[in-house]
Amino acid sequence: MSLNLLDSVKRLFNSEIVSKAAISLGESESGISKAISGVVPSVLSSIVAKATSGEHGATNILQLAKDAAGSDVLDSMGGLFNNNGKNSFLSAGFDTLKSLFGDKLTSVIHSIAGFAGIQTSSASALLSGVAPAALAVVGQHAITNNISASGLVQSLENSKGQILSALPLSLGSIPGLLGLSNATNSLSGTAKQATSAAAAYVKGAED
């Protein structure tokens, strides 16, 4: 069974969650909404990068995903940003972020904050909320369909193009930070070829 990972995670962060996050974090709803549009594909990119980095990475992501699916995070989305965005899920989510992004985490947090015009603490909280939720979606899919580490890699590879294309242009450096530069270069190369072909067609039509 295929998984539309991007849409599945985006649906979790609906207008109600955005409103609660805005109030809890002291930000505008528009700022939170814009941030989430960058946070979701950024977190998913990190999951893809980690899972496709080798056998150990795939096994690690599969276990993280199953652990997240076994938690109550998906059933507790409504309370994710209560208590000024401070709860056990966000604390655990930040630990997950560190395992996903490694030493690139600070750069990603600042990129999201700058992109959305929100505080870095708010960007960090949103990333901490999305990470366990995204992993739980992956974990549920893996458990339901009895997917192995190699099967998970294939599923994530199939989602990679959609995830990368969902990243706002101003966050385009994030895939490179995560080791997905080959994929982005490939996409860029395709775009350049299309542009060159169009230019050649126009020139031919003018001659």
Side-chain angles (χ1 to χ4, degrees), residues 120 170 177 200:
T120 54
S170 59
L177 285 174

Side-chain angles (χ1 to χ4, degrees), residues 137-148:
V137 170
V138 173
Q140 281 191 342
H141 177 69
I143 293 169
T144 300
N145 296 282
N146 195 28
I147 293 176
S148 64

